[in-house]
């Protein structure tokens, strides 16, 4: 005989805490590897993370400082873009090259050109575009 056990389905309160120093360091390390794959300059990498080039350089040598909510979001979006590209392209180098190729959806500009505007919404636009491509290819 099967006995059912009641499960508490009441919604739990969720209040996200700040990104831990360990999470920040891991996200930043992953992003710097990604920037190397995309062959970005220090200035481009710093702009994508919305930080001065001197801060980016210091973080590369000494590890990231405190990660703001905005910077944590940027790291997450950029890593999501990388994941989507790895899923869409069997050859990782094609995905890495895609970021710099002109795209009609972005008015003939590359995804990198769009993201270099500096707005987090531009990073999200690239991520949303890739997510839509993933859905249409499924």
């Amino acid at each position: 005989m099967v006995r059912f056990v009641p499960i508490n389905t009441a919604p739990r309160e969720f209040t996200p805490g700040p990104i831990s120093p360990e999470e920040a360091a891991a996200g930043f390390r992953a992003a710097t590897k990604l920037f190397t794959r995309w062959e970005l300059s220090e200035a481009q990498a710093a702009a994508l993370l919305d930080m001065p080039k001197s801060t980016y350089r210091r973080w590369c040598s000494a590890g990231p400082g405190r990660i703001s909510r905005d910077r944590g979001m940027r790291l997450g979006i950029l890593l999501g873009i990388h994941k989507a590209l790895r899923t869409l392209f069997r050859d990782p180098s094609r995905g890495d090259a895609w970021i710099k190729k002109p795209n009609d959806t972005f008015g003939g500009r590359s995804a990198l050109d769009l993201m270099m505007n500096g707005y987090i919404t531009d990073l999200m636009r690239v991520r949303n575009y890739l997510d839509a491509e993933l859905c249409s290819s499924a």
Side-chain angles (χ1 to χ4, degrees):
M1 180 167 152
V2 176
R3 208 170 68 167
F4 293 99
V5 177
I7 298 173
N8 181 1
T9 59
R12 296 182 194 165
E13 186 175 322
F14 175 71
T15 306
I19 296 172
S20 72
E22 295 78 19
E23 291 168 327
F28 187 74
R29 281 192 309 272
T32 57
K33 288 179 184 178
L34 175 61
F35 299 154
T36 299
R37 292 184 63 89
W38 288 352
E39 299 177 353
L40 301 187
S41 68
E42 273 187 349
Q44 289 171 313
L48 289 178
L49 294 175
D50 193 31
M51 64 173 49
K53 191 166 68 169
S54 60
T55 302
Y56 178 78
R57 192 176 299 126
R58 186 175 64 248
W59 281 26
C60 285
S61 64
R66 190 179 145 282
I67 300 273
S68 68
R69 182 178 296 174
D70 178 80
R71 197 154 292 131
M73 293 260 320
R74 287 173 179 272
L75 287 168
I77 294 166
L78 289 163
L79 295 175
I81 289 169
H82 172 63
K83 181 180 177 182
L85 289 171
R86 291 297 299 264
T87 303
L88 286 167
F89 295 98
R90 290 182 188 187
D91 177 3
S93 63
R94 287 189 62 211
D96 294 337
W98 177 89
I99 208 78
K100 291 184 177 179
K101 293 193 182 227
N103 188 312
D104 290 340
T105 301
F106 306 136
R109 298 167 60 200
S110 71
L112 180 61
D113 289 337
L114 177 64
M115 293 188 298
M116 290 304 297
N117 287 334
Y119 297 104
I120 196 167
T121 52
D122 292 325
L123 274 68
M124 291 168 55
R125 186 172 169 201
V126 172
R127 172 71 192 270
N128 291 339
Y129 170 78
L130 291 170
D131 287 348
E133 286 293 317
L134 284 169
C135 289
S136 68
S137 68

